[in-house]
Amino acid sequence: MRDRDVTLELINGSNLGTGASALGTDAVAPGAVILRLSNISKFYSGVPALLNVSVEFYAGEVHAILGENGAGKSTLMNIISGALRPEVGEIEFDGRNIPAMSPETAALLGIAISFQHPAVLDDLSVLENFQVALPASLFAGKPAQDVARQAMDAVGLHLPLRTRCDDLTVAEKHLLEIAKALAIKPKVLILDEPTASLDQAGTDMLFGRIREVVKAGTSVIYITHRLAELRQIAQRVTVLRDGKLRGSSVVSKITDADLLGLIVGRTLGSAFPPKSPDGAKDINFAVESLSGAKFSDVSFDVSRGQIIGVAGVSGNGQSELMRALAGLQPSKGTIHLNGRSLASRDLLREAAFMPSDRHTEGLAGSLTVRENASFAALEKFATFGVLSRKTEMDLIGRTFKSLAVKAPSTEALVLSLSGGNQQKVVMARALLSEPGVIVADEPTQGVDVGARAEIYRILREVSNSGTPVIVNSSDAAELEGLCDQVIVMSRGRVVERLSGADVKEDRIVAAAVKAETHVGDSGVVAGAKSTGGGWRHFLQSDNAPAVPLALVTALLGLYVFAQNSNFLSAYNISNILLLATVLGFIALGQTVALLMGGIDLSVGPLAGFLVVVASFFINEGKSPWMIAAGFALMFGGALIVGAINGLLIRFANFTAIAATLAMYIGLQGMSFLLRNAPDGYISAAVVDVINTQIGPIPLAFVVLVAFALIGEYGLRNWRLGWQLRAAGSNEDSARRIGVRTDRTFVAGYIASSLLTACGAIVLMAQIGVGDPKQGASYTLSSITAVVLGGTSLRGGRGTFLGTVLGGVLLMEILNAVAFLGLSEQYQYLFQGALILVAAVIYSTVRRRTSA
Amino acid sequence: MSQAVDTTNGLMQRRTLLPYPLAKGFVTVAASLIVLIMISLVLAPSAVSLGALKGSLPFACLIALVGLGQLLVVQQGGFDLSVAGAVSLAVVVATHYPNGDNAQLLPAVLIAFGFALAAGVLNGFLVGFVKLNAVIATIGTNALLYGMVFVVSGGVPRITTPLLAGIAGGQTFGIPHAVFFLAAVLVVMTFVLKKTVIGRRFEAIGANPLAARAVGLNVRTHQMMAYVCAQLLCCLAGILLAGITREPTAFQGDPLLLPSVAVVVLGGTSLLGGRGFPISTVIAALFLNQLSQFALAVGVPYSAQTIIQALALGFGIAVYSVRWTSNTTKTATKED
């Protein structure tokens, strides 16, 4: 580890000012300091991500932040935008000290951020993405379409506003993200690698916009890896490395070489094993013009005993290349291992993949060290499929010994190990499976210094033993020390090949940051997307299932009518609709839960419970006050139940199923506790009011439709509706754009319960008595109705109207079976077939449109 | 930094009496059961009398069997709501076809298992291959199974065959036969899960399907297997239930659905998938059963019993929720 003195010396050595104070007198006349960070430090479980960083940002200029991966750039931006709190340090905005920056405060102050991974919600339309992310004040007095259109025009994005963001290309999402940031006319605009996916035209357009806003006095903080861009757009540059400030300068006063000097030169502090001696050797792994998602035309050869490195700024196709080499992603081209040609499927078997994200793809967190090490090679410990514990322990013990894995016990949970030892467990698994090739994606990420040396040693040993090793790393110094050959990638293509003595950190970094190729998918050009007209949009919309549903409902009605004319009698219609009303209200509640990506199993018993509660108050001869109290108690009870569900799920770590299941059982018990047998007849006067009819249509059904319409409108036009869908669509993105997700989820479960209470009122009029056995079956039928209606169980997409239609169709079917003189079995068979067919159709359609 | 290079084996085999460390779920649920029994002994001795045990144990075994099936599905991060229909169908097939004739029992049992196999394959195909949400797929299958219940029986109950009543409802050495069936299933399941290649792969896939796929394991087939086995276990439970109950109705499986999930959760298995605890699940079934018996003996009405069960379930989840947080990363990645 370097200490602070060395850092200062390095800064001095490259003839830069030693700090921000030296910059005040620069030739570029800056505006006032708009944002000042002083001595910011941020630690992640004791490890510093930022240490004593002080930077000043001036109004009316572009300030670039440079640094390798893990230098602390993103952490710094998150601190400015309020997403993270620093442990130490102060943030001063426009001369005022901001003690606790939060996303809300940042938005109020006029700090806008365009994230590297756009916080764009896939399940919402383009327009809705603007509406949920931007403050309401921006839309005041103007049609929302105009505001959104204007913001998109500013970045040259031409999309129909109703397009679902699911259908956008990555470049379009980035432009949308930038458009959102620009739209609030920010005082400070943070752009985190905005050009990563843009082509040349998009980049030029963006730079034009940046120059405009800067002229208007905005301070732009521009994070990039590319020196060329920096020269084009930025006036000032600050370099971070290892979470520390390396230096700041006016761009015109610093050479590329000096900048490179600031970026590179991190001391690794770990020893590297000796490299493979030079000399011609047979090639054992050859890749020829391999292309796939995000990379194209990649070729390289690995000779026996050589380790090949893949370098580049992260996100330039390296990880996709690694996945393709591991057979996890389709690719075109040829791959030869020891002369054999391998297809993707062979690769999946032959290659041992060490993923960069150990926790998602490498380790089974709930299993032990032993189980994690062995699950790829179980057949090696087994005879006739039965494992021998001794063989397993022996082999694992031997492998662990050679890898020097340090674990308290083989039966310890794998997550209790340090990052380095976790990675060694992944390596042990790879080695135990005796792979044909090792594909290591960022093998030392999150690994401590000591363990790194070990990992380098192991990789070298594996390579020496004849297994080809391919390492992707964003750490150029590591590649210099470890690899015999390095290919540098930029925008999916190999831009430099280094071997032997040329494998040097500065050469690698220079190739990566100086590359100017723009192969990104076309953002601006493809703007001329087929607008297709309203019909196409309707097909993509959440309400699309309504048409086939209504059609099926009508056709079925006509068919049964042809068989039995009583089916469409006023009496029967009102009968079906009354039943559908109960189910409809409860299913509306279920829709809210599913929109949030959750589920509410407690709705059925809740409806039954509320009827039982009502049966104590809403009786014949009770005073109006008593009856009013009964209704109040129903809604009050629902409120409490919803709140408990929501709180358990959000704050006590219960899954939605677990929490609402416990509530389900509990509520059933409560019903039986209050009434052991049916009793407490509901006042006939109240029942009459609830069952009021307008012609053949029950009033309650009209109310249900009104609720659904209002809900439908609110879902798409009110902030609350966007927030609900945003939270269900992608909780993380929703939080980043300032949605208070916890509050939204709890409110959603309360809404679910309150709608169930509305259903309970109609149910009460139907059963007419407090019966503890009633209600529970509505849980499953409500889910059926919602699924029929076309709401996705993945959250974010749904429709109240469809739910009502689904409920009507379900009840119609049950009723039709009786009218057709069919036996009871058809009720179930039709129901089951309907839900499965609907689910399969919806999921296929969705997959196709999003493909 | 070089002193960190330690070439000695860093592993210290922990010396314990048992080859496996005791799982948290096992300790919790076993201790709860023991405490409950002790409380029963003091406050309501009739709840632990031989007669009470013999009467209620077969039903506890059925809950345990269905729970073990649910466990397999939960291990794959799924959920099987067709448990109710599966049990009901098995009950109906086992009573309706023989219609009291012992000779027809074996064919009926085979037909029941055939239905179970088909339902399991359907569930597994929809969830594993079509990637339907498990809740939707199994609700649909459940309705189809109930449809079959009425196709087979027309909703009219028939009296069980004497042979089945003897096999399922009888006792040997004073122990109800259901206990033997459960013990056999438990032994086989524990052995397969912990000691065979298939079982260990199954657990690894449940614990992290992405990691399992990255090493080339066949995730979809194993997921399908879970649903098939669950249906077969429900079928077994249903056939036993047909023997234990004299004249079973068409909806005999309904009351088993929620307990099947509850015992899985109480046994310490995470609803997010991964490692499963068959023994703890069985103990949890005994615990739930004993809880009802205890409540019954001290004169608590049926209603309060379910509230107690709900509280026990909520408490159980809360106890294990520490484990759950380490798993939450899985929920963050949306399955397509």
Side-chain angles (χ1 to χ4, degrees), chain B residues 27-66:
Chain B
V27 174
T28 313
V29 74
S32 309
L33 180 61
I34 291 168
V35 169
L36 182 62
I37 290 175
M38 291 200 302
I39 295 175
S40 303
L41 281 172
V42 177
L43 295 179
S46 68
V48 283
S49 71
L50 214 55
L53 281 183
K54 275 184 186 170
S56 68
L57 213 49
F59 291 98
C61 291
L62 296 185
I63 292 178
L65 278 175
V66 177

Side-chain angles (χ1 to χ4, degrees), chain B residues 160-173:
Chain B
T160 195
T161 51
L163 178 61
L164 185 58
I167 294 175
Q171 296 185 0
T172 302
F173 312 121

Side-chain angles (χ1 to χ4, degrees), chain A residues 9 24 39 98 102 197 282 294 506 521 578 596 638 658 695 715 739 849:
Chain A
E9 195 182 296
N39 301 313
I98 311 291
S102 67
S197 66
D282 49 330
K294 291 200 175 174
D506 51 350
D521 49 5
L578 259 182
M596 300 185 297
L715 205 52
V739 176
T849 49

Side-chain angles (χ1 to χ4, degrees), chain A residues 464-492:
Chain A
N464 284 342
S465 74
T467 308
V469 175
I470 302 144
V471 177
N472 169 39
S473 173
S474 50
D475 185 340
E478 174 174 286
L479 292 175
E480 173 187 325
L482 180 66
C483 301
D484 305 290
Q485 215 194 117
V486 167
I487 58 169
V488 184
M489 293 184 64
S490 178
R491 315 239 172 187

Side-chain angles (χ1 to χ4, degrees), chain A residues 577-664:
Chain A
L577 291 184
L578 259 182
L579 287 171
T581 308
V582 180
L583 176 61
F585 273 117
I586 298 174
L588 286 188
Q590 190 68 264
T591 310
V592 176
L594 294 190
L595 272 171
M596 300 185 297
I599 196 163
D600 190 346
L601 297 179
S602 67
V603 287
L606 175 62
F609 170 71
L610 294 177
V611 173
V612 169
V613 168
S615 73
F616 285 93
F617 297 87
I618 309 176
N619 310 113
E620 220 64 67
K622 289 272 167 69
S623 73
W625 290 113
M626 208 56 169
I627 289 176
F631 282 108
L633 269 178
M634 287 175 85
F635 283 106
L639 184 84
I640 291 169
V641 166
I644 294 176
N645 278 338
L647 293 174
L648 283 179
I649 292 166
R650 295 310 295 178
F651 297 104
N653 270 323
F654 281 43
T655 61
I657 287 183
T660 55
L661 177 66
M663 185 57 86
Y664 182 115

Side-chain angles (χ1 to χ4, degrees), chain A residues 335-366:
Chain A
I335 297 173
H336 286 274
L337 174 65
N338 295 322
R340 271 189 308 135
S341 172
L342 296 182
S344 231
R345 190 179 304 171
D346 307 320
L347 282 170
L348 194 57
R349 205 181 47 243
E350 284 287 346
F353 180 56
M354 294 172 56
S356 60
D357 188 349
R358 281 192 298 277
H359 295 282
T360 10
E361 228 180 348
L363 296 171
S366 55

Side-chain angles (χ1 to χ4, degrees), chain A residues 301-634:
Chain A
D301 298 327
V302 187
S303 304
R304 205 179 158 74
Q306 282 202 333
I307 295 181
I308 184 157
V310 178
V313 173
S314 70
N316 278 272
Q318 303 98 307
S319 50
E320 287 79 8
L321 172 66
M322 300 305 269
R323 299 186 67 81
L325 289 175
L328 289 168
Q329 191 165 297
S331 57
K332 281 198 200 98
T334 53
I335 297 173
H336 286 274
L337 174 65
N338 295 322
R340 271 189 308 135
S341 172
L342 296 182
S344 231
R345 190 179 304 171
D346 307 320
L347 282 170
L348 194 57
R349 205 181 47 243
E350 284 287 346
F353 180 56
M354 294 172 56
S356 60
D357 188 349
R358 281 192 298 277
H359 295 282
T360 10
E361 228 180 348
L363 296 171
S366 55
L367 299 186
T368 65
V369 173
R370 169 179 60 87
E371 287 164 325
N372 266 287
S374 61
F375 75 67
L378 287 167
E379 63 281 351
K380 292 203 167 55
F381 321 129
T383 35
F384 300 115
V386 177
L387 291 163
S388 153
R389 189 176 170 80
K390 193 176 169 306
T391 320
E392 184 182 0
M393 294 306 292
D394 283 355
L395 262 171
I396 287 179
R398 216 177 306 150
T399 312
F400 277 14
K401 192 169 179 178
S402 76
L403 300 192
V405 179
K406 285 182 235 14
S409 142
T410 47
E411 303 309 313
L413 280 184
V414 73
L415 288 185
S416 67
L417 269 52
S418 69
N421 280 303
Q422 287 179 7
Q423 187 69 320
K424 286 189 200 167
V425 171
V426 174
M427 293 184 92
R429 175 165 73 219
L431 298 184
L432 276 167
S433 69
E434 294 172 7
V437 51
I438 289 199
V439 180
D441 196 2
E442 302 279 1
T444 59
Q445 206 167 66
V447 169
D448 56 291
V449 177
R452 280 183 184 205
E454 303 255 312
I455 288 171
Y456 300 143
R457 174 183 64 80
I458 299 158
L459 287 174
R460 181 51 75 183
E461 281 173 14
V462 171
S463 168
N464 284 342
S465 74
T467 308
V469 175
I470 302 144
V471 177
N472 169 39
S473 173
S474 50
D475 185 340
E478 174 174 286
L479 292 175
E480 173 187 325
L482 180 66
C483 301
D484 305 290
Q485 215 194 117
V486 167
I487 58 169
V488 184
M489 293 184 64
S490 178
R491 315 239 172 187
R493 287 170 192 278
V494 177
V495 290
E496 178 79 289
R497 288 164 196 283
L498 303 164
S499 60
D502 288 341
V503 179
K504 288 279 172 244
E505 187 192 3
D506 51 350
R507 293 281 302 266
I508 297 171
V509 174
V513 300
K514 283 183 176 170
E516 287 172 50
T517 44
H518 277 278
V519 244
D521 49 5
S522 38
V524 187
V525 189
K529 217 172 207 182
S530 96
T531 43
W535 180 241
R536 192 190 150 87
H537 278 296
F538 179 74
L539 276 185
Q540 291 175 347
S541 80
D542 291 339
N543 279 320
V547 173
L549 270 180
L551 218 63
V552 171
T553 309
L555 287 177
L556 179 69
L558 289 176
Y559 173 74
V560 184
F561 179 65
Q563 311 289 319
N564 185 337
S565 57
N566 284 333
F567 186 68
L568 291 186
S569 67
Y571 172 77
N572 197 43
I573 286 181
S574 80
N575 195 14
I576 293 178
L577 291 184
L578 259 182
L579 287 171
T581 308
V582 180
L583 176 61
F585 273 117
I586 298 174
L588 286 188
Q590 190 68 264
T591 310
V592 176
L594 294 190
L595 272 171
M596 300 185 297
I599 196 163
D600 190 346
L601 297 179
S602 67
V603 287
L606 175 62
F609 170 71
L610 294 177
V611 173
V612 169
V613 168
S615 73
F616 285 93
F617 297 87
I618 309 176
N619 310 113
E620 220 64 67
K622 289 272 167 69
S623 73
W625 290 113
M626 208 56 169
I627 289 176
F631 282 108
L633 269 178
M634 287 175 85

Side-chain angles (χ1 to χ4, degrees), chain A residues 379 387 392 653 661 729, chain B residues 195 200-201 258 325 334:
Chain A
E379 63 281 351
L387 291 163
E392 184 182 0
N653 270 323
L661 177 66
S729 177
Chain B
K195 280 282 172 189
R200 289 276 297 279
R201 279 186 184 154
L258 293 177
T325 46
K334 258 189 175 182

